Structures are given as C-alpha cells and as structure tokens.
Amino acid sequence: MIRMMSARVLIADDHAVVRAGLRQMLAEDTAVGEIGEAATGQQTLERLRESPWELLILDIGMPDRSGMDILRHVRSGYPDTRVLILSGFPERQYAINMLRAGAHGFLGKESAPDDLLKAVHMILAGRRYLSPTMSELLISEIDNGGADRPIHQQLSKREFQIFCKLASGSSVSEIAKELCLSVKTVSTYRSRVLEKMHFKTNADITSYALRNGLIQ
C-alpha cells in the first residue's frame, strides 16, 4: 500500500552533525512530516515505544547497541516501522546481511542527497531500496551461485549478529547477557561461526572483521 504525505521519520545516529544534515534534507520534502531524533540505541527504542514511526533511518554504528540488534528489535516489535540503514561501512560487507535481517534499504553515508530522498520515497511507498552497487552485487551473486561472496555472508542472521559482537571484543557471557540468551547457546553459535569461517579463535574473527571493514 502506498503511503501518503507527512510520514513520521525517526533519525537514529550518534553524530549530531549527521542528524542535523538529515533533518534539513528531510524537512524540505513534502512526503515527510514530523522528524524525530535519537543519539543512542536505547533512545531509539524509547522513541519507538513512545509513538509510532513510519520510517527509521538507522546508523549501524550506534554507541550502546549495534544496528543489527536494533534492527532485529524493530522487526519483531514494530513491524509497521520500515528501516533504512545508513552506514559508513562498505555496502559489499554489510548490505546483504542487513537486508536478510529485515532492513528495507541500505545506503552509504557518502551517498548524494537525491539518493537518500529516493530511498525514503521508495521505502515509504512499500518497496525496498537497492542502490546500483547493491543491485550489481546481487546480480553477481546469482550469476556466480554465491561463489564470490565474502565468507561472512554464509552466516545466518543470528550467527552474523554474534560474529560482530565477538569481533568487537565482547565475551560469550557478555553477549549472552545482552541478547538474553544462555551462555551455552551463545557458545554454540560461536562454534558454528568458527566452523563456517574456518577459524580457530576470536582473534581470527576480529582480524577478518578489520580486514573487511566490518569493524573500525
């Protein structure tokens, strides 16, 4: 169903300058009504609980919770809120995993303002947004049967979520507490990640993530 004018849009990014820039661009668009802001993952979830939002523009690198965690929470708890991921990380490394996790679009922070507005309009109209780069990646994956895709794209949504936390230095017990899972369950996911990626230690995971621009 095509959405009408004056959609409520929530901007979640930990950089005030980025939020201000996005707000300025969106404020000039007639398809957008109220614009909200959140600087942390916790603030994002609080704003979602307070009132409904048609679109969440979400940065992957929030300071307290990862974009993947927030996305999973939104998809399970707020199914009417569509999510556009805005990130400084390379599309090739993150976009497919985010789309699999339920995002409706992925856009790099270096994108032109026109691209952002195009993405917003498409998502509010009930469609998914794929950049030209993303479209080429998907076509390449289909043509090659996935042979050329990065190893981490073989992981499931939950495995990739735990992979990112391990890469950032979180322990199994810390991850279990944060995700409300048992230590045994997280340990099982960790073992699957290591097996699928042919790694032996968490250091291997971190090294891979750094080489591929998955963490900074």
Side-chain angles (χ1 to χ4, degrees):
M1 185 175 98
I2 296 179
R3 296 184 182 274
M4 303 306 289
M5 295 173 59
S6 300
R8 302 181 76 241
V9 179
L10 178 62
I11 302 168
D13 194 291
D14 59 326
H15 294 98
V17 173
V18 173
R19 296 198 306 274
L22 292 173
R23 174 182 282 275
Q24 183 176 355
M25 283 187 282
L26 294 172
E28 298 174 357
D29 194 296
T30 57
V32 177
E34 182 178 349
I35 301 171
E37 296 184 21
T40 66
Q42 186 60 37
Q43 286 181 11
T44 302
L45 298 180
E46 289 173 358
R47 296 301 303 271
L48 288 167
R49 283 195 294 267
E50 291 168 359
S51 58
W53 300 88
E54 281 75 37
L55 176 64
L56 169 63
I57 299 178
L58 174 64
D59 178 27
I60 289 179
M62 299 295 277
D64 53 342
R65 300 185 67 162
S66 73
M68 181 66 79
D69 288 349
I70 298 170
L71 175 59
R72 288 176 63 89
H73 193 96
V74 173
R75 299 312 304 143
S76 63
Y78 307 93
D80 293 331
T81 300
R82 303 180 74 80
V83 181
L84 170 62
I85 299 295
L86 190 66
S87 175
F89 291 109
E91 280 185 277
R92 179 174 179 81
Q93 305 302 343
Y94 263 100
I96 291 179
N97 290 90
M98 285 298 186
L99 292 172
R100 284 176 178 163
H104 299 88
F106 187 104
L107 199 64
K109 286 188 175 181
E110 75 284 355
S111 301
D114 288 346
D115 291 333
L116 171 69
L117 295 179
K118 180 180 179 181
V120 168
H121 291 168
M122 289 182 67
I123 293 172
L124 288 176
R127 301 161 61 191
R128 290 182 182 271
Y129 174 79
L130 295 178
S131 69
T133 300
M134 189 67 237
S135 297
E136 290 179 7
L137 287 174
L138 290 174
I139 292 171
S140 176
E141 180 169 340
I142 292 172
D143 290 343
N144 296 311
D148 294 336
R149 66 180 179 176
I151 301 174
H152 67 271
Q153 288 182 11
Q154 299 174 19
L155 303 176
S156 69
K157 290 183 288 186
R158 179 66 87 178
E159 288 166 352
F160 183 69
Q161 181 185 32
I162 290 175
F163 162 87
C164 290
K165 293 184 180 299
L166 290 169
S168 297
S170 296
S171 67
V172 168
S173 58
E174 289 170 340
I175 296 171
K177 182 178 180 180
E178 183 177 347
L179 299 182
C180 298
L181 298 172
S182 70
V183 171
K184 182 178 179 180
T185 297
V186 175
S187 295
T188 299
Y189 277 116
R190 175 183 176 275
S191 296
R192 291 178 187 172
V193 169
L194 292 173
E195 181 178 358
K196 285 186 176 182
M197 302 188 74
H198 307 291
F199 292 157
K200 294 183 178 179
T201 67
N202 287 6
D204 295 330
I205 293 175
T206 300
S207 177
Y208 174 92
L210 287 169
R211 290 197 311 272
N212 288 274
L214 295 170
I215 59 173
Q216 294 178 332

